[in-house]
Amino acid sequence: MALTGRTALLAALGALVTGLLLPSWAGIGAVTGAVLLGVLVDLVLAAPVRSLRITRGGDTTVRLGEPATVELTVTNPAGRPLRARIRDAWAPSAWRPGTELAASRHTLRVPGHERRRVTTVLTPTRRGDHHAHKVTVRSLGPLGLAGRQGSHLVPWTVRALPPFTSRKHLPSRLARLRELDGRTSVLTRGQGTEFDSLREYLPGDDVRSIDWRASARRNTVAIRTWRPERDRHILIVLDTGRTSAGRVGDAPRLDASLDAALLLTALATKAGDRVDLLAHDLRKRVSVAGRSPNEILPAFTSAMAVMEPALYETDMRSLVATALKMAPHRSLIVLLTGLDAAPAEDGLLPLLPLLTKRHEVVLASVADPRLDELAAGRGTVEAVYGAAAAEQTRADRRLTADRLTRAGVTVLDAPPTSVAPALADTYLALKAAGRL
């Protein structure tokens, strides 16, 4: 069979080497000798790997589920051209399943004394910091039969922020806030209201809102109107203990609590209120306080990105003490925790008077919609036992919620997709009622 192209050239070179230069190889054959010669040529002519200079640039933060781009700049200081295959290694959680092989491999050619860039696209599947591992470079020779390989440590970190999926509810809540805050004033004065304006009395208005002094100076009866007070303090407390680690659907309860906290923060900031954040289990994990309105949401999302639930019971006494230190004056304290009977009754309920004596307290819990499905089960013995257990759990949660309500706490118990808008609605209701 005739040989063509590169194979024919290698065969001719092999014949020359084996027949003239290396007689002892004569039994190996022309093709084998040619391959060995090609390997030797590639090893000699391949650009060195250790002298390469590799730097990174690109995104340092990204929302969970969205792509992030990280650039690798490869500088070839040698005179020989670099023909390279590059593997940019990251932790498995930095890639969407099934995409790592294609996204982390690059083919690159860099002439001598020049530089080129390649882009790695990451799609993190978990919150937190994702760190780059080694960059492995395989430098091939001109024939592509052999080369050199080495690794460079080029550090880089991409922080995956909470996805904030509840932001789709923000426009409708902001519209209600605008209606509440100025466009529609209230006639009833409350603890969380301030004087807005005077207007003429209309039939049906509350006579207690009549301003008699202003009416004496004009020919009509004047009514005082009020609006929700601005610059109120809100402390969001995240319980990162054992109950927050329970999975509801595909994610832990903590993730739904983070989403609800972000929506409330965005809404309250637009309302002109001050928002602080506390995450606590056995001890204080995160505290973000005193940020300007433009800094609050970025600071909260960055702090929440690295939060992980702890697998032990929350020290409620320490949590309440820390919350009172961060809220020395009247505030709205939003506690995102569980409604499990034992932790609430043994840990939280005895301490509630310390909070409700001075502050408005809202407790928001993430309910498991699977309980409703199990409670409706019938037809088999297993389904009936499952329904009984689910109904008992729901009854315990309702009993705990009732006890908290009697202690002066506003209680929310909603599934993961509803807890964020429900908490925002509760905040607006407190504003409208003058309780904030």
Side-chain angles (χ1 to χ4, degrees):
M1 182 177 65
L3 300 177
T4 59
R6 182 182 297 179
T7 305
L9 176 60
L10 291 176
L13 291 174
L16 178 62
V17 171
T18 56
L20 299 177
L21 300 179
L22 299 173
S24 61
W25 288 10
I28 299 178
V31 175
T32 303
V35 171
L36 293 175
L37 178 63
V39 169
L40 180 62
V41 170
D42 276 349
L43 289 175
V44 172
L45 298 182
V49 173
R50 290 186 178 180
S51 61
L52 296 176
R53 295 194 297 271
I54 304 177
T55 58
R56 289 189 185 272
D59 296 332
T60 56
T61 58
V62 65
R63 290 208 176 274
L64 188 65
E66 298 180 359
T69 58
V70 179
E71 294 180 344
L72 281 175
T73 302
V74 181
T75 303
N76 179 17
R80 285 167 285 177
L82 173 67
R83 306 169 185 86
R85 296 174 185 170
I86 298 176
R87 179 177 182 264
D88 189 6
W90 292 72
S93 59
W95 313 96
R96 184 174 295 161
T99 64
E100 177 181 1
L101 188 62
S104 63
R105 267 72 170 179
H106 307 283
T107 301
L108 186 66
R109 182 181 177 89
V110 185
H113 306 294
E114 295 188 18
R115 62 184 180 184
R116 294 291 186 270
R117 291 179 181 174
V118 293
T119 300
T120 300
V121 179
L122 307 174
T123 309
T125 57
R126 292 182 58 185
R127 287 184 295 104
D129 291 338
H130 299 267
H131 302 284
H133 296 319
K134 294 179 179 180
V135 177
T136 302
V137 181
R138 181 175 295 173
S139 174
L140 301 175
L143 300 177
L145 297 176
R148 308 179 185 186
Q149 180 170 308
S151 297
H152 291 253
L153 188 60
V154 189
W156 193 260
T157 301
V158 173
R159 173 164 290 187
L161 306 175
F164 195 9
T165 55
S166 64
R167 63 179 178 271
K168 62 186 177 183
H169 300 290
L170 186 58
S172 62
R173 270 62 186 181
L174 287 176
R176 290 172 55 185
L177 178 65
R178 287 192 296 269
E179 180 182 356
L180 178 66
D181 187 17
R183 293 189 180 181
T184 302
S185 300
V186 296
L187 296 179
T188 305
R189 182 179 183 180
Q191 191 170 13
T193 59
E194 59 186 359
F195 175 74
D196 181 43
S197 61
L198 294 170
R199 68 167 175 80
E200 185 178 351
Y201 174 84
L202 297 175
D205 286 341
D206 190 347
V207 295
R208 292 174 297 179
S209 300
I210 297 176
D211 189 327
W212 296 107
R213 291 186 178 182
S215 299
R217 295 192 297 267
R218 58 176 69 185
N219 295 327
T220 59
V221 179
I223 290 288
R224 288 184 177 182
T225 61
W226 310 87
R227 66 179 180 185
E229 190 174 352
R230 290 177 174 269
D231 198 31
R232 308 300 290 175
H233 180 231
I234 300 172
L235 176 62
I236 299 176
V237 182
L238 290 166
D239 179 0
T240 56
R242 177 186 59 81
T243 57
S244 68
R247 299 188 72 84
V248 179
D250 296 331
R253 279 189 168 90
L254 179 60
D255 285 13
S257 297
L258 297 180
D259 197 49
L262 288 175
L263 180 62
L264 177 60
T265 300
L267 181 61
T269 303
K270 291 293 185 181
D273 292 332
R274 297 173 290 111
V275 187
D276 294 335
L277 176 68
L278 169 66
H280 198 290
D281 39 69
L282 277 181
R283 59 181 177 83
K284 180 175 68 176
R285 295 293 178 180
V286 173
S287 175
V288 182
R291 300 301 179 95
S292 67
N294 294 331
E295 297 174 341
I296 287 177
L297 207 56
F300 279 20
T301 53
S302 181
M304 291 175 179
V306 295
M307 286 185 190
E308 294 294 338
L311 300 181
Y312 34 74
E313 207 68 57
T314 299
D315 185 349
M316 282 296 175
R317 186 171 297 278
S318 176
L319 183 149
V320 170
T322 306
L324 291 174
K325 288 181 181 179
M326 294 185 65
H329 306 292
R330 178 171 176 79
S331 307
L332 171 63
I333 296 181
V334 179
L335 179 58
L336 290 153
T337 185
L339 273 179
D340 295 7
E345 294 179 4
D346 298 338
L348 181 60
L349 275 168
L351 302 171
L352 277 180
L354 299 174
L355 294 175
T356 56
K357 180 179 179 180
R358 179 181 297 177
H359 305 290
E360 187 73 33
V361 181
V362 174
L363 186 146
S365 179
V366 181
D368 189 351
R370 178 65 176 157
L371 289 176
D372 297 334
E373 299 176 9
L374 290 173
R378 299 293 187 274
T380 65
V381 174
E382 292 183 357
V384 171
Y385 275 109
E391 190 57 46
Q392 181 63 50
T393 302
R394 294 198 304 180
D396 291 343
R397 292 176 69 87
R398 286 194 297 266
L399 180 61
T400 302
D402 290 341
R403 295 189 63 181
L404 291 168
T405 301
R406 289 195 298 269
V409 177
T410 302
V411 180
L412 302 176
D413 190 21
T417 56
S418 303
V419 66
L423 182 57
D425 291 341
T426 300
Y427 166 78
L428 292 173
L430 292 173
K431 279 276 190 184
R435 293 170 57 188
L436 176 58

